[in-house]
């Protein structure tokens, strides 16, 4: 590619000679390396190197340990996994091919709170990064990297890796510069508090500062991020949104917060996006977000004027909304900031700001324990992501789910969850399309009847009532019939239905 196409993107003159093809850059990798790649929920991920590594690994399996911010787009995880390029993967993924290899034990997966990865790398609790691959809009005259649509763990990767490969993405506007706030916590011990007290506050610079001598290669790409795969709201998700709004209205009426609410966090996916979409036209105004990911609903809330500012680590949008953001980036840049995920998800800040955390459950039990990750307790779906960072430390922790799945053959409300990601101690409110259960201040014996009657699908309520009655008769602070606690999951595995009829 001629230099005229990218010379305004590579402003450090000494780095122009580092431009090479993705295949040439892939030759820098060897089996057993630990690789840090940019990317968080399909945004800001490297596009060319994953494909080049997959192609190389088809001839010579690389067996890399791959660490990212969160999920990659463009089928990258699946391409690399299928080609034998991945031996280990952390801390989050959503790819069906990779998921299959994880559940067959062919790729080892480390499921981790998203706030922890950078800190564990920095402290040496995890082995260091050999090569970092970072997507960028540009490289500054000093050699600093301007990220694209996510920050994720890119700062930690770029600062700690022995060598850095930068993918300059020509499809991203140079006007992205200024969207990011790059701040790194001080070293331990003796770390000072992270001085963030407002959602719209900026702490650091706008680019990732590194020694340009460590940039080993620059690859030029022109590929957009994968669009969001969140589905539009349906009747059930609209009902869930209605119950969340009703709960929040009750909080305002009780005087526990004003009509601007407290800063909102919402997990990735269809249900969380639909719930935030439901806030459009609600009685709340001057709201703020302090979250991991901004989806279509966040941009729509900004456009409605009800959301005044949004802080996150990533922006993952549908094609239509993405184009609107790109066309009006100068307008949105004053209303949005992207931070490293160790800042967007940091427990200290989540607790200080009093976040309202809204995350999605695969299933929850009659006492309020939540499973976010494992189907029938064994098969990984995606990972815990940042839900634990916010659920444990937020002012209010809400978990939402449709009451049933697989055409009603699976109940999302069960006697005992088959895997625990969030204990009852971290869960304040459970919501399905049938209602919400406010668990604050309730003992286990008070929680169970409320969850059954307010949240469970009507087809499963009598089964749940019968189980709880039998368990309560046996006694205990948290009554269970251990021989039957996971019988619903066993029944599903045997008959493809949890229903006992």
């Amino acid at each position: 590619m001629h230099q005229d196409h990218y010379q305004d993107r590579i402003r450090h003159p000494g780095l122009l000679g580092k431009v090479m093809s993705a295949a040439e850059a892939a030759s820098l990798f060897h089996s057993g390396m630990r690789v840090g790649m940019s990317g968080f929920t399909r945004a800001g991920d490297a596009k060319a190197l994953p494909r080049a590594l997959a192609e190389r690994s088809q001839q010579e399996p690389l067996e890399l340990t791959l660490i990212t911010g969160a999920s990659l787009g463009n089928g990258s995880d699946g391409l690399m996994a299928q080609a034998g390029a991945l031996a280990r993967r952390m801390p989050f993924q959503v790819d069906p091919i990779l998921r299959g290899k994880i559940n067959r034990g062919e790729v080892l997966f480390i499921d981790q709170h998203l706030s922890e990865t950078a800190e564990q790398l920095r402290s040496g609790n995890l082995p260091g990064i050999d090569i970092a691959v970072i997507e960028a809009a540009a490289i500054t005259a000093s050699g600093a990297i301007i990220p694209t649509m996510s920050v994720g763990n890119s700062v930690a990767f770029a600062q700690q890796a022995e060598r850095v490969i930068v993918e300059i993405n020509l499809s991203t506007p140079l006007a992205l510069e200024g969207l990011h706030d790059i701040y790194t916590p001080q070293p331990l011990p003796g770390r000072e508090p992270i001085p963030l007290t407002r959602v719209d506050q900026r702490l650091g610079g706008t680019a990732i500062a590194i020694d340009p001598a460590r940039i080993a290669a620059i690859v030029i790409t022109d590929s957009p991020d994968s669009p969001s795969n969140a589905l539009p709201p349906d009747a059930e998700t609209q009902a869930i949104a209605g119950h969340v709004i009703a709960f929040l209205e009750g909080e305002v009426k009780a005087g526990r917060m004003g009509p601007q609410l407290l800063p909102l966090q919402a997990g990735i996916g269809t249900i969380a996006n639909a719930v935030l979409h439901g806030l459009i036209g609600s009685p709340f105004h001057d709201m703020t977000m302090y979250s991991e990911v901004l989806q279509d609903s966040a941009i729509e809330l900004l456009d409605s004027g009800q959301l005044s500012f949004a802080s996150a680590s990533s922006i993952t949008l549908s094609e239509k909304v993405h184009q609107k953001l790109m066309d009006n980036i100068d307008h949105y840049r004053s209303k949005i900031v992207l931070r490293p995920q160790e800042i967007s998800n940091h427990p200290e800040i989540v607790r200080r700001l009093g976040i309202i955390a809204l995350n999605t459950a695969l299933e929850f039990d009659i006492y309020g324990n939540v499973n976010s990750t494992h189907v029938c307790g064994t098969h990984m779906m995606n990972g815990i992501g940042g839900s634990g960072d916010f659920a444990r430390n937020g002012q209010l922790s809400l978990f939402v789910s449709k009451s049933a799945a697989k055409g009603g053959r699976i109940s999302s409300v069960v006697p005992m969850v088959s895997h625990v990601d969030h204990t009852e101690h971290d869960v304040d409110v459970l919501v399905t399309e049938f209602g919400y259960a406010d668990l604050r201040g309730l003992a286990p014996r008070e929680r169970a009847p409320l969850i059954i009657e307010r949240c469970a699908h009507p087809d499963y309520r009598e089964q749940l009532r019968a189980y709880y009655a039998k368990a309560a008769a046996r006694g205990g602070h948290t009554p269970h019939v251990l021989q039957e606690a996971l019988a619903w999951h066993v029944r599903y595995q045997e008959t493809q239905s949890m229903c006992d009829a």
Side-chain angles (χ1 to χ4, degrees):
M1 184 178 291
H2 196 274
Q3 283 191 13
D4 290 345
H5 291 102
Y6 57 78
Q7 62 182 6
D8 59 337
R9 306 265 183 164
I10 305 174
R11 302 168 195 163
H12 188 293
L15 293 176
L16 287 169
K18 299 289 183 71
V19 176
M20 64 182 70
S21 70
E24 290 173 316
S27 69
L28 300 176
F29 296 76
H30 61 74
S31 191
M33 275 187 165
R34 296 179 62 83
V35 178
M37 280 191 179
S38 67
F40 194 112
T41 58
R42 303 157 63 90
D45 54 317
K47 312 299 193 296
L49 257 296
R51 186 173 296 275
L53 289 171
E55 291 173 355
R56 181 183 163 198
S57 191
Q58 289 175 340
Q59 311 301 322
E60 173 194 357
L62 287 171
E63 298 186 348
L64 304 171
T65 291
L66 177 62
I67 309 175
T68 60
S71 54
L72 302 179
N74 297 285
S76 294
D77 268 324
L79 285 170
M80 290 186 286
Q82 192 68 49
L86 303 183
R88 290 178 179 266
R89 181 73 171 84
M90 64 185 296
F92 188 83
Q93 56 77 44
V94 299
D95 187 272
I97 295 174
L98 175 57
R99 182 185 303 129
K101 284 188 166 281
I102 289 168
N103 287 320
R104 290 191 297 272
E106 296 169 13
V107 175
L108 299 177
F109 180 59
I110 297 91
D111 186 22
Q112 188 174 52
H113 296 302
L114 295 188
S115 68
E116 293 186 349
T117 309
E119 189 74 79
Q120 292 201 5
L121 286 167
R122 187 180 297 116
S123 66
N125 288 329
L126 292 173
I129 301 293
D130 295 305
I131 295 182
V133 183
I134 310 296
E135 183 180 80
I139 300 174
T140 71
S142 66
I145 299 168
I146 300 170
T148 55
M149 296 298 284
S150 72
V151 181
N153 281 322
S154 295
V155 180
F157 296 157
Q159 290 177 345
Q160 297 175 36
E162 293 183 13
R163 290 187 288 182
V164 178
I165 298 173
V166 180
E167 281 199 10
I168 298 289
N169 192 333
L170 302 180
S171 76
T172 59
L174 286 169
L176 287 178
E177 186 171 1
L179 184 68
H180 314 92
D181 181 45
I182 308 302
Y183 175 86
T184 301
Q186 293 176 345
L188 296 171
R191 175 181 296 168
E192 295 292 324
I194 299 171
L196 195 148
T197 57
R198 301 189 320 273
V199 170
D200 63 352
Q201 195 173 348
R202 291 175 179 269
L203 304 178
T206 59
I208 304 170
I210 65 167
D211 179 356
R214 290 194 294 112
I215 296 179
I218 299 173
V219 175
I220 308 300
T221 66
D222 192 11
S223 301
D225 288 334
S226 295
S228 168
N229 56 4
L231 300 174
D234 58 25
E236 291 173 327
T237 56
Q238 287 175 333
I240 291 170
H243 295 309
V244 171
I245 291 168
F247 168 76
L248 293 173
E249 287 177 331
E251 294 300 288
V252 173
K253 185 176 180 179
R256 286 187 280 270
M257 61 184 74
Q260 74 278 8
L261 305 180
L262 290 166
L264 299 168
Q265 176 266 333
I268 190 73
T270 296
I271 297 180
N273 187 60
V275 170
L276 284 184
H277 181 84
L279 291 172
I280 298 172
S282 70
F284 312 119
H285 57 81
D286 296 316
M287 294 181 287
T288 58
M289 286 190 70
Y290 193 85
S291 193
E292 308 165 293
V293 183
L294 304 183
Q295 299 188 89
D296 283 10
S297 53
I299 305 302
E300 292 161 357
L301 279 168
L302 285 169
D303 291 343
S304 75
Q306 290 174 267
L307 185 68
S308 61
F309 197 89
S311 169
S313 192
S314 169
I315 305 176
T316 302
L317 305 171
S318 65
E319 289 186 27
K320 180 180 179 180
V321 178
H322 180 272
Q323 191 59 51
K324 179 172 68 172
L325 181 77
M326 293 297 99
D327 291 343
N328 299 279
I329 191 64
D330 289 329
H331 165 71
Y332 287 109
R333 197 171 53 232
S334 65
K335 300 175 182 293
I336 296 172
V337 63
L338 294 183
R339 311 180 191 275
Q341 69 194 68
E342 66 172 323
I343 302 300
S344 69
N345 292 40
H346 201 289
E348 173 193 344
I349 300 172
V350 172
R351 180 64 61 90
R352 178 184 298 135
L353 296 179
I355 302 297
I356 298 173
L358 181 71
N359 290 288
T360 304
L362 282 181
E363 64 178 3
F364 54 84
D365 66 28
I366 58 175
Y367 299 113
N369 300 289
V370 170
N371 173 13
S372 297
T373 58
H374 285 70
V375 176
C376 284
T378 59
H379 281 59
M380 172 59 65
M381 180 58 71
N382 299 325
I384 194 169
S387 57
D389 298 323
F390 291 96
R392 171 64 60 91
N393 302 289
Q395 177 77 9
L396 284 171
S397 175
L398 289 77
F399 279 91
V400 300
S401 175
K402 293 186 178 183
S403 64
K406 299 291 185 183
R409 291 180 286 116
I410 293 178
S411 174
S412 300
V413 186
V414 293
M416 178 185 283
V417 287
S418 56
H419 176 89
V420 181
D421 290 295
H422 313 281
T423 74
E424 59 183 292
H425 313 290
D426 300 331
V427 180
D428 295 314
V429 183
L430 295 170
V431 190
T432 70
E433 71 273 26
F434 291 104
Y436 70 84
D438 183 351
L439 308 180
R440 292 174 296 178
L442 300 184
R445 286 175 178 266
E446 297 172 303
R447 290 177 167 220
L450 187 67
I451 292 170
I452 293 169
E453 302 307 325
R454 295 280 184 88
C455 298
H457 193 284
D459 291 349
Y460 286 96
R461 285 180 192 164
E462 190 53 46
Q463 279 182 237
L464 288 165
R465 293 182 191 119
Y467 174 84
Y468 177 66
K470 186 175 182 180
R474 293 192 174 198
H477 172 65
T478 306
H480 270 302
V481 182
L482 293 181
Q483 300 91 329
E484 301 177 16
L486 296 176
W488 292 33
H489 301 86
V490 175
R491 185 182 304 123
Y492 176 75
Q493 290 179 329
E494 293 176 347
T495 69
Q496 293 301 293
S497 175
M498 286 186 172
C499 187
D500 63 3

